Amino acid sequence: MREYDVIIIGGGSAGLSAAIEIYKEGFTNILLIERDIELGGILLQCIHNGFGLKVFKEELTGPEYAEKFVDELMDLGIEYKLDSVVTKINSDNSIEYVNTKDGFANVKAKALVLTMGCYERNAGAISIPGTRPAGVLTAGQAQKYLNIDGYLVGKKVFILGSGDIGLIMARRMTLEGAEVLGVAEILPYSGGLNRNIVQCLKDFDIPLYLNHTVTDIIGDVNLEKIILSKVENFKPIPGTEVEFEVDTLLLSIGLIPENEISENAGIILDRKTKGPIVDESYQTTKAGVFACGNALHVHDLVDFVTEESRRAGRSVGRYLKNELKSSNDNIQLLPSDGISYIVPQNINLNNIENKLELFMRVTAEYKNVTLVVYSEETEIKRIKKRHMAPAEMEKVILTKDDLSKVNKTLSIKVVA
Amino acid sequence: MLGDGKMYDVIIIGTGISGATISRELARYNLKVLILEKEFDVATETTMANSAIVHSGHDPLPGTLKAKFNVLGNRMYKRMSDELDIPYLPCGGMVVATSKEEEIVLDELLQRALTNGLTKDEAYLISREEISKKEPNISEFVTKALYLPTTAVTFPWEVAIANIENAMDNGAELKLETEVTDINKDEYFSVSTNQGTFESKVVINATGIHGEKVSKLFYKPEYKITPRRGEYFVLDKNCFEINNVIYPCPSDKGKGVVITPQYHGNILIGPTSEFVATNQVGKTTISGLDYVKKYAIKSVKNIPFHKVIRSFAGGRASSNTHDFVIQDVNKTGFINVTGIESPGLSAAPAIAKYVVEQLVSNHLGLINKPSYKSSRRKVIRTNEMTNDEINELVKENPLYGKLICRCERITEGEVIDSIHRNCGARSVTGVKNRTRAGAGRCQGGFCQPEIIRILARELKIDQMKVNYSKTGSYILKSRTKGE
């Protein structure tokens, strides 16, 4: 069995960034495995711009952003396999993959990095009422058909869910000549970035229906109509039904980290993020297995994925150099009032070099509040926030000095 | 206009479980058989949306056709599944009681089961303790159960597809998108369709919820069919432990909300039971699915409803006779096989045998076909093979190493095979129903574009002409580049 220092599973933005970082740490015997026929992941179908403002200080399209990393990976001569699907992580951290050339084969590594990205929640998951005609797709599917394959899936479109892909597709399909009649969001606030609400809906006069959902899908062969209803506490309000004649319903109702192989390998997932539980070094509950990018938790911006994957890549380097210390009593991070999750989920203070970056999402929209970081009874830090929303990831940086006050647990809450 | 100028011995209308099993039974003999289906694919209605259970025969009232054919059909299932390479899960079942009143119903059901012909080893009462051993997730309300070890789970549409494929391997013809518009009999039957008129000596009406309507094309039927809708949830595979089919105590509304383990590891929860118009049978509703949730938790606890990957609805053909309608109408050779609601799936192989040997035989001589093969070519299912076995395959055909559906682990080789078999896949749903590509938790999110590409290539059609399911259900509506 061929043995590598590191195998990276998934060649999207996270896998590319992690692989390059690990190489720069001095580990050149690495393998990147990608299931698609080219590297770049979901970025390849995101042909709109707005990527790279943080990492490159310039505005790039998805493919351009990906190309920078793919070029660098090629220049470094990092080994990769395309059109190959990892099917299993074995207990000794070897992995099994399958492709047309090797069939099922195994390769071994000292460390693994999970960068499989995520998949879209779909009509099945939300038990959407009505018939099952053609014309109900996820926004990402429609995006692939349009931007990669060159086909439009419909001319009169309604979008359920205000996730970023749905917002982007509202604009994209409008530009292709389709009529987008509206976007419905069951929550009182958007699931997408504010800049996308402005640039993809407001600029094109596409209405956003907050507190609304689709309560009927009508059509035998093809989608003919949808019924939109106002909701209260997630329940449709009778009498508020409005009918829209459409041939397409796109769903943008959330992304779920892709972790079937992680789960099957016994790696413990966070119930909230649906990604692996990781420590300060992005190491999962299985020693030597690291995770980053959308397989770890869903990010708003690819730039954040890159930054996170670089940090994870550096940690993998430290792991291979035996610089990471293990401990049985890591400090547990506890999301408290108003916080839905925090990544990482636990920390070993001995491995923190100078500062610790924590990433979290809030449970609702907040204005003029304070984030309070505390450990048991001790308050560690207060950060004033003018606006926070679940769609926008929050970051809290703790210094070594802050961390010296930490006892067994570390909590964060929202205070009015 | 004559369809193809040929004289058939038997025309079967409908490709659900009944038409399919009858077609295979007929294909044993030297008979020219034509199967007509109005839809784009076979088995798209009742057979596509039901509980997938091979019932033991405990439930139908003694003396009914339902009772007779259910018990017989159950005993034929394993062999048919082996011959046709159809998934079959001999999981067993139990009817659970949650009160003293329901315990009395269990006693009645046990008597009924024994009267219907089940043996004492095939139906017996078990205690709460024994139930808990078999089912760790049984609800605390359950006090006692009627255990039914011969209950099994099948894969309904594959039963239909495999039977028709095997019938076709043995010479039967299938015409899809062929809707019967009139049926007349002079010396022979002439069956008019949107694709021309076909002639035969016997006509079998196996049209499920459309049974009464098709009967009316030939005579004024004495029975009425009303579609009864059932709504279901499907849970992701391997996320919850259920080992047996778990029935609540039956009521006048049917068998109630049943929790069923599926062959591929999913759990099915449902159905509701509601009389609706024919065009409403495939529609899920908020109230229906809420009903399923509410009643499911009476029998089973801790159901992970957040692991639902799909919900669906289907219609059962409910007859006002409260029994199957199986008859040779006035000995004309127009044979009704209608009103086949539950336990129709379980009864199907027994009904088919009866229809051919007892009814068709009155009109046609049944001479064994020497070339008849009872098996179809084995279906390659890589997710049930060892890696070494798959690697041997990959050497011959690399596409068995090309994973198309990651959720269910289906390869391109399997998808292509499903298209080129007799009664092969022609749509995205057709591929899903034959291979399970797209049936997993991402519901085709990633593999659908691949499936469209493969279908277009293998069927030599434009990608824009690939149907999602029904005729004209195109997914790709127009081109945006490369024109």
Side-chain angles (χ1 to χ4, degrees), chain A residues 367-416:
Chain A
K367 280 184 183 145
N368 300 316
V369 290
T370 306
L371 276 179
V372 178
V373 183
Y374 62 101
S375 177
E376 315 291 308
E377 305 301 312
T378 318
E379 188 174 307
I380 293 170
K381 198 165 192 163
R382 291 176 87 88
I383 306 147
K384 282 214 161 70
K385 289 279 173 185
R386 276 171 108 178
H387 179 261
M388 292 193 293
E392 321 227 346
M393 194 157 73
E394 296 296 328
K395 179 160 97 169
V396 168
I397 299 173
L398 298 180
T399 61
K400 277 225 131 176
D401 191 37
D402 292 331
L403 292 167
S404 65
K405 302 174 204 157
V406 173
N407 207 322
K408 279 194 167 84
T409 65
L410 188 56
S411 303
I412 302 177
K413 65 182 174 188
V414 180
V415 179

Side-chain angles (χ1 to χ4, degrees), chain B residues 233-376:
Chain B
F233 283 114
V234 186
L235 296 187
D236 201 357
K237 58 183 176 180
N238 309 326
C239 72
F240 189 56
E241 185 180 350
I242 290 290
N243 302 309
N244 294 262
V245 174
I246 298 176
Y247 305 92
C249 262
S251 70
D252 52 355
K253 284 185 117 184
K255 293 190 193 74
V257 173
V258 184
I259 293 109
T260 313
Q262 298 289 290
Y263 179 84
H264 300 95
N266 304 83
I267 307 283
L268 202 60
I269 307 174
T272 52
S273 176
E274 191 184 354
F275 288 108
V276 294
T278 309
N279 64 1
Q280 299 290 306
V281 294
K283 204 172 174 71
T284 57
T285 62
I286 295 171
S287 58
L289 292 172
D290 282 349
Y291 176 95
V292 170
K293 274 189 190 172
K294 186 177 153 197
Y295 284 92
I297 58 175
K298 283 186 79 176
S299 311
V300 169
K301 64 183 177 188
N302 305 329
I303 300 175
F305 284 107
H306 65 283
K307 293 278 191 179
V308 166
I309 61 165
R310 192 171 178 84
S311 56
F312 64 87
R316 297 92 105 183
S318 227
S319 159
N320 62 341
T321 63
H322 305 293
D323 201 0
F324 297 154
V325 178
I326 302 171
Q327 53 183 196
D328 181 354
V329 176
N330 299 323
K331 305 245 182 294
T332 54
F334 183 89
I335 298 170
N336 277 319
V337 184
T338 66
I340 310 295
E341 59 178 338
S342 181
L345 179 64
S346 325
I351 294 174
K353 198 168 154 55
Y354 169 80
V355 166
V356 174
E357 292 178 3
Q358 304 297 323
L359 302 181
V360 174
S361 62
N362 294 327
H363 302 274
L364 297 164
L366 301 181
I367 300 157
N368 282 316
K369 193 184 281 173
S371 62
Y372 171 74
K373 284 193 184 70
S374 62
S375 301
R376 63 169 177 165

Side-chain angles (χ1 to χ4, degrees), chain A residues 25 27 110-111 281 283 287-288 290 314-326 350-351 353:
Chain A
E25 287 287 313
F27 297 92
K110 296 189 184 87
S281 308
Q283 191 164 200
F290 296 76
R314 280 193 294 277
S315 294
V316 173
R318 291 175 70 198
Y319 173 80
L320 292 172
K321 292 173 203 158
N322 283 323
E323 288 173 14
L324 285 186
K325 297 183 178 66
S326 59
N350 298 322
N351 292 328
E353 286 173 313

Side-chain angles (χ1 to χ4, degrees), chain A residues 148-375:
Chain A
I148 305 281
D149 300 342
Y151 295 97
L152 203 56
V153 294
K155 294 278 186 198
K156 285 191 102 173
V157 184
F158 201 91
I159 298 174
L160 173 59
S162 58
D164 286 311
I165 310 171
L167 301 176
I168 296 287
M169 282 307 288
R171 174 176 66 185
R172 182 78 182 94
M173 291 196 71
T174 307
L175 293 174
E176 283 294 337
E179 189 187 350
V180 179
L181 279 70
V183 176
E185 170 58 57
I186 197 165
L187 295 168
Y189 46 83
S190 161
L193 295 173
N194 192 45
R195 75 172 196 208
N196 286 334
I197 299 283
V198 174
Q199 293 171 13
C200 301
L201 299 187
K202 287 195 176 143
D203 288 357
F204 292 87
D205 292 326
I206 299 168
L208 172 63
Y209 298 92
L210 297 174
N211 296 305
H212 278 75
T213 193
V214 173
T215 49
D216 204 358
I217 289 180
I218 298 164
D220 177 29
V221 177
N222 290 295
L223 179 63
E224 292 162 17
K225 287 175 209 164
I226 58 134
I227 304 290
L228 184 72
S229 300
K230 207 169 186 319
V231 296
E232 201 175 343
N233 298 325
F234 296 96
K235 294 266 184 236
I237 306 170
T240 62
E241 298 85 359
V242 189
E243 189 179 289
F244 288 86
E245 269 184 42
V246 289
D247 61 11
T248 307
L249 176 67
L250 296 186
L251 304 173
S252 183
I253 51 176
L255 298 169
I256 303 168
E258 173 78 68
N259 276 293
E260 189 176 4
I261 54 169
S262 338
E263 255 189 308
N264 289 344
I267 290 167
I268 298 167
L269 304 188
D270 181 324
R271 284 182 61 174
K272 209 76 204 185
T273 61
K274 300 192 168 61
I277 288 175
V278 291
D279 63 15
E280 76 301 323
S281 308
Y282 295 92
Q283 191 164 200
T284 68
T285 54
K286 191 171 193 306
V289 181
F290 296 76
C292 55
N294 279 354
L296 177 60
H297 61 134
V298 175
H299 295 64
D300 329 329
L301 296 178
V302 71
D303 300 67
F304 294 150
V305 169
T306 296
E307 289 169 357
E308 179 177 279
S309 303
R310 285 174 174 167
R311 287 192 299 275
R314 280 193 294 277
S315 294
V316 173
R318 291 175 70 198
Y319 173 80
L320 292 172
K321 292 173 203 158
N322 283 323
E323 288 173 14
L324 285 186
K325 297 183 178 66
S326 59
S327 138
N328 289 326
D329 52 350
N330 279 4
I331 291 159
Q332 299 299 312
L333 280 139
L334 306 175
S336 188
D337 304 348
I339 306 290
S340 71
Y341 75 75
I342 307 170
V343 169
Q345 286 82 353
N346 62 76
I347 47 176
N348 179 348
L349 287 180
N350 298 322
N351 292 328
I352 292 163
E353 286 173 313
N354 42 45
K355 60 176 183 178
L356 172 69
E357 290 174 84
L358 299 174
F359 298 86
M360 67 211 68
R361 284 185 196 276
V362 288
T363 53
E365 206 167 17
Y366 292 102
K367 280 184 183 145
N368 300 316
V369 290
T370 306
L371 276 179
V372 178
V373 183
Y374 62 101
S375 177

Side-chain angles (χ1 to χ4, degrees), chain A residues 35 83 96 99-100 104 119 122 124 127-128 130 132 141 145 147 150-153 216 220 222 258 260, chain B residues 233 283-284 309 311 387 391 398 401-402 406 409 441-442 444 446 448 452 470 472 477-481:
Chain A
R35 65 164 188 255
D83 211 2
E96 174 193 276
N99 64 25
T100 55
F104 276 91
Y119 70 95
N122 52 62
S127 302
I128 207 159
R132 302 286 177 268
Q141 268 180 316
Y145 287 130
N147 294 344
Y151 295 97
L152 203 56
V153 294
D216 204 358
D220 177 29
N222 290 295
E258 173 78 68
E260 189 176 4
Chain B
F233 283 114
K283 204 172 174 71
T284 57
I309 61 165
S311 56
N387 289 355
N391 288 349
K402 167 90 180 167
R406 286 176 291 132
R409 286 185 58 173
R441 72 180 64 84
C442 93
F446 286 106
Q448 194 189 71
I452 291 180
K470 296 186 179 187
K477 302 287 198 313
S478 58
R479 286 204 79 98
T480 56
K481 58 184 179 187

